[in-house]
């Protein structure tokens, strides 16, 4: 039993940086995974990925001005994310270009611009930190920012939960009975940006959206009810984070990629054995597989 303790619990009990990393993952899982579920249900998964990259120029400008300053990079990322989300929506409404193509264009420009800005002042290590994060180096101020953003997300999500759910199921009905759809959508985009900035501090720009989209995909194979999806997505995100941290601790795999790879493994298992549309269920739809 000693080896089991050393393998599964010892790293978190003995090392403070592992506890900090897990605390950050807890906040990301509780707030980011539910946002990912609504991104998936609203067919905005790729939009979330585009906005994740769109925060890079703002964070890079903050880095250019103040170095690796938490406040400057957070504010810069939030502002850049909002600007790109609003501009892409505006372009799709005043031109014939669809919103996904508009987001793709802004995403490419933002990524190139952000990398260029960081390269002007920083080293390759700074660039890797911005692109891939360093969840094992979270300090108290960063944890407080992540926890505050996560708490704010859960409160606001509870307030706009009803119109979000209705719009996912029947947007036409929502438009006929209420005008809450438009404001709820804009608020939801704000929550997306906020949680992508959270993910940026822990996992970097390139992986920030991973703990939002992959757990949402996992939940889709295990539940049909939206409330159950939210719970499963958060639980799978936390489990993926725990497994990824252990993988990183016991091997030489970087923590961020290890967490996303663990989540990808759970996603593949869900594709195979998930009771809601999984491959095994489709191949053998008999009574012995019924819930």
């Amino acid at each position: 039993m000693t080896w089991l303790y050393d393998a599964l619990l010892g790293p978190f009990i003995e090392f403070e940086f592992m506890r900090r990393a897990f605390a950050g993952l807890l906040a990301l899982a509780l707030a980011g995974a539910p946002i990912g579920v609504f991104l998936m249900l609203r067919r905005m998964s790729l939009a979330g990925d585009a906005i994740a990259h769109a925060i890079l120029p703002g964070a890079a400008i903050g880095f250019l001005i103040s170095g690796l300053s938490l406040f400057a990079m957070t504010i810069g990322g939030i502002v850049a994310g909002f600007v790109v989300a609003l501009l892409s929506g505006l372009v799709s409404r005043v031109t014939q270009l669809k919103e996904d193509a508009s987001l793709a264009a802004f995403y490419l420009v933002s990524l190139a611009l952000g990398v260029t800005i960081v390269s002007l002042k920083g080293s390759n290590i700074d660039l890797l930190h911005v692109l891939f994060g360093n969840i094992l180096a979270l300090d108290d101020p960063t944890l407080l920012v992540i926890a505050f953003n996560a708490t704010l997300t859960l409160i606001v999500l509870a307030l706009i939960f009803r119109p979000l759910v209705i719009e996912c199921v029947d947007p036409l009905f929502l438009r006929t009975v209420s005008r809450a759809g438009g404001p709820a959508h804009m608020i939801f985009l704000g929550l997306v940006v906020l949680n992508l900035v959270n993910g940026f501090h822990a996992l970097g720009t390139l992986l920030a959206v991973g703990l939002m989209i992959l757990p949402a995909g996992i939940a889709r194979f295990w539940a049909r009810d939206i409330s159950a999806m939210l719970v499963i997505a958060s639980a799978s995100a936390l489990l993926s984070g725990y497994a990824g941290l252990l993988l990183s601790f016991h091997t030489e795999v970087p923590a961020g990629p290890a967490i996303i790879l663990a989540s990808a493994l759970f996603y593949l298992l869900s594709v195979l054995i998930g009771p809601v549309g999984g491959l095994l269920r489709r191949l053998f739809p008999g009574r012995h597989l019924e819930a």
Side-chain angles (χ1 to χ4, degrees):
M1 294 300 293
T2 302
W3 67 268
L4 194 62
Y5 166 84
D6 292 336
L8 301 181
L9 295 178
F12 298 97
I13 295 176
E14 296 177 15
F15 298 100
E16 184 180 2
F17 69 90
M18 291 290 286
R19 294 195 296 272
R20 290 175 180 272
F22 187 76
L25 281 170
L26 177 61
L28 292 176
L30 290 177
I35 295 295
V37 170
F38 283 109
L39 281 172
M40 177 189 68
L41 294 176
R42 296 159 71 91
R43 295 179 174 87
M44 293 177 61
S45 298
L46 291 178
D49 186 50
I51 296 174
H53 293 82
I55 68 176
L56 180 55
I61 292 173
F63 171 79
L64 190 64
I65 296 173
S66 304
L68 293 174
S69 166
L70 173 64
F71 178 78
M73 296 181 71
T74 298
I75 297 300
I78 291 174
V79 171
F82 273 115
V83 168
V84 169
L86 293 175
L87 285 179
S88 61
L90 179 63
V91 169
S92 66
R93 282 164 176 77
V94 300
T95 68
Q96 295 182 348
L97 195 66
K98 293 186 177 180
E99 190 169 12
D100 58 344
S102 176
L103 274 171
F106 279 106
Y107 144 65
L108 292 171
V109 173
S110 299
L111 183 60
L113 181 61
V115 171
T116 302
I117 293 173
V118 174
S119 300
L120 289 176
K121 181 180 179 180
S123 63
N124 289 336
I125 295 177
D126 294 323
L127 183 59
L128 288 175
H129 176 84
V130 170
L131 292 179
F132 298 103
N134 191 358
I135 193 169
L136 296 179
L138 294 178
D139 54 14
D140 287 341
T142 306
L143 277 178
L144 288 174
V145 168
I146 293 175
F148 175 81
N149 289 344
T151 303
L152 181 63
T153 296
L154 292 175
I155 293 173
V156 175
L157 197 59
L159 295 176
I160 64 172
F161 184 78
R162 186 183 296 269
L164 280 182
V165 172
I166 296 175
E167 191 170 25
C168 291
V169 177
D170 192 345
L172 181 60
F173 172 75
L174 179 63
R175 286 196 293 269
T176 59
V177 300
S178 173
R179 296 181 179 179
H185 178 71
M186 297 306 298
I187 294 172
F188 175 71
L189 284 179
L191 295 181
V192 171
V193 173
L194 200 64
N195 283 272
L196 287 173
V197 171
N198 261 7
F200 162 77
H201 286 306
L203 301 172
T205 299
L206 297 184
L207 300 177
V209 75
L211 275 187
M212 295 173 64
I213 300 302
L214 284 173
I218 293 170
R220 186 64 184 84
F221 286 102
W222 293 94
R224 290 186 175 91
D225 179 74
I226 292 180
S227 298
M229 285 185 198
L230 299 177
V231 174
I232 293 172
S234 292
S236 62
L238 188 59
L239 182 61
S240 300
Y242 171 75
L245 288 176
L246 286 178
L247 175 63
S248 175
F249 183 84
H250 293 295
T251 66
E252 296 183 359
V253 178
I259 291 168
I260 302 304
L261 287 174
S263 187
L265 177 60
F266 291 135
Y267 175 78
L268 291 176
L269 288 175
S270 300
V271 171
L272 291 174
I273 66 174
V276 182
L279 290 179
L280 193 61
R281 179 67 181 237
R282 288 179 176 272
L283 292 174
F284 304 100
R287 293 181 60 85
H288 64 287
L289 289 177
E290 292 182 0

